[in-house]
């Protein structure tokens, strides 16, 4: 089941090339880092992106991410809704 932090929308660049953009928003950003441990949210972002390359589904899918002040956002592109739902 998709909750309010998992977002799926269709991005149509042309009639031939339709993509679906999947996003996962985590309510942990640099504002939540402990004193003396600043940057830990950003480190975890990079760890998860690199780790995802080793899982079966994401082997051919590039995950992008960024850490903001209040949250971390991960997003990736897939070709159809079935792949999108499987990726969540």
């Amino acid at each position: 089941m998709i909750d309010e932090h998992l977002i799926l929308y269709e991005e149509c660049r042309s009639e031939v090339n339709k993509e679906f953009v999947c996003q996962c928003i985590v309510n942990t950003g640099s504002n939540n880092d402990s004193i003396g441990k600043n940057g830990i949210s950003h480190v975890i972002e990079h760890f998860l992106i690199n780790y995802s390359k080793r899982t079966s589904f994401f082997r051919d899918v590039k995950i992008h991410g960024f850490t903001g002040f209040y949250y971390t956002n991960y997003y990736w592109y897939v070709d159809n809704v079935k792949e999108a739902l499987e990726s969540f």
Side-chain angles (χ1 to χ4, degrees):
M1 177 158 181
I2 297 177
D3 66 21
E4 70 271 8
H5 302 301
L6 302 174
I7 302 165
L8 171 65
Y9 62 92
E10 183 176 349
E11 183 174 287
C12 183
R13 296 185 180 157
S14 72
E15 283 302 313
V16 178
N17 184 14
K18 285 188 177 181
E19 290 183 319
F20 290 84
V21 182
C22 305
Q23 290 185 338
C24 177
I25 298 172
V26 181
N27 287 326
T28 302
S30 60
N31 185 44
N32 303 103
D33 290 345
S34 303
I35 295 175
K37 295 185 179 179
N38 54 329
I40 195 72
S41 295
H42 194 124
V43 169
I44 291 171
E45 170 201 329
H46 283 270
F47 172 78
L48 290 174
I49 289 172
N50 289 328
Y51 176 76
S52 68
K53 295 175 186 174
R54 297 185 181 100
T55 63
S56 59
F57 179 83
F58 287 109
R59 192 167 287 133
D60 298 324
V61 177
K62 179 174 173 44
I63 296 181
H64 308 273
F66 63 86
T67 299
F69 192 69
Y70 295 109
Y71 63 91
T72 302
N73 181 302
Y74 301 96
Y75 62 99
W76 57 96
Y77 299 90
V78 294
D79 294 327
N80 55 58
V81 173
K82 182 179 183 236
E83 287 181 354
L85 295 174
E86 287 174 357
S87 70
F88 286 125

